Amino acid sequence: MKFFSGKENKIKEKQIEEILLANYDRYYRLAYSYVHNDADAGDIVQNGAYKAIKNSQTLRKDEYAATWVYRIMLNEIFRFCKKEKGKVVSLEEIPIEEGKEDVYQDFDLYLALDSLSKEDKAVVELRYFEDRKLEEIAEILNENVNTIKSRLYRSMKKLKIKLEEEI
């Protein structure tokens, strides 16, 4: 294993900090889409950011830094969901305030997304909400590109069926 000097560690930390600041809203939205709670989503992103900065010296290739941080965030989301199983609120349990119905115009889509497994949901969100390429998603999820393609295809098929049931 190659050890980095203090100066190289500081450069990596700075790079990770810049990525975290530039993408905070994306990480928050991703976390919120799983836990449906502001405080928990904020905690997840905070914990993920801490782990990313703390372990920045383990990043091997600088060009994969953004992908590496996404993987940390997803792992933190999955860890939280596993730990808090049963405490995570589903979208159906969130009351819609009167006069704010238009805020929930995509409510059916989000309910359908919640019906997917956490891995399938991650693939769909990274592809269509974060506009990531399949190769990037494969890198983030540490999966083969063909696995991501088939997971995306199956997930979209499930979403279509679920949304057609709602009509």
Side-chain angles (χ1 to χ4, degrees):
M1 178 174 198
K2 181 180 176 183
F3 291 97
F4 298 101
S5 70
K7 185 177 181 180
E8 288 171 323
N9 280 342
K10 291 293 179 195
I11 292 170
K12 285 186 181 277
E13 277 183 26
K14 184 71 175 161
Q15 179 186 15
I16 298 302
E17 285 176 18
E18 288 172 4
I19 290 169
L20 288 165
L21 290 172
N23 294 294
Y24 177 85
D25 290 340
R26 286 180 168 193
Y27 303 139
Y28 177 84
R29 280 192 313 269
L30 184 64
Y32 189 86
S33 74
Y34 280 85
V35 297
H36 312 298
N37 179 294
D38 287 327
D40 290 340
D43 288 346
I44 289 168
V45 174
Q46 189 71 23
N47 290 338
Y50 171 76
K51 288 178 182 180
I53 292 169
K54 179 182 172 202
N55 297 310
S56 60
Q57 75 281 358
T58 64
L59 176 63
R60 294 183 187 163
K61 294 184 178 183
D62 292 348
E63 62 267 20
Y64 296 123
T67 301
W68 182 77
V69 174
Y70 256 106
R71 185 181 306 156
I72 290 171
M73 289 298 171
L74 277 172
N75 286 339
E76 199 58 34
I77 291 166
F78 295 162
R79 188 176 297 112
F80 178 88
C81 290
K82 186 175 180 181
K83 182 180 88 175
E84 298 293 321
K85 193 173 184 177
K87 295 181 184 176
V88 176
V89 179
S90 81
L91 276 173
E92 291 174 327
E93 297 173 33
I94 299 173
I96 298 176
E97 296 176 35
E98 194 168 324
K100 299 226 177 183
E101 291 82 3
D102 58 327
V103 173
Y104 300 97
Q105 65 186 12
D106 297 326
F107 194 69
D108 290 338
L109 173 61
Y110 292 114
L111 281 175
L113 276 170
D114 274 351
S115 72
L116 298 175
S117 71
K118 63 184 179 185
E119 293 84 4
D120 291 347
K121 183 177 178 180
V123 171
V124 172
E125 288 191 346
L126 288 170
R127 178 69 185 111
Y128 295 107
F129 293 88
E130 299 296 330
D131 202 29
R132 298 289 176 170
K133 295 180 180 172
L134 295 175
E135 294 78 15
E136 286 179 281
I137 298 169
E139 181 69 29
I140 290 168
L141 297 176
N142 202 24
E143 297 275 354
N144 182 300
V145 175
N146 289 330
T147 302
I148 297 301
K149 286 179 184 177
S150 60
R151 186 176 284 163
L152 183 60
Y153 175 78
R154 282 193 317 270
S155 298
M156 294 306 292
K157 199 171 180 180
K158 288 177 189 175
L159 284 175
K160 182 180 178 194
I161 291 168
K162 188 77 171 172
L163 289 170
E164 286 174 349
E165 288 175 359
E166 299 295 323
I167 296 176

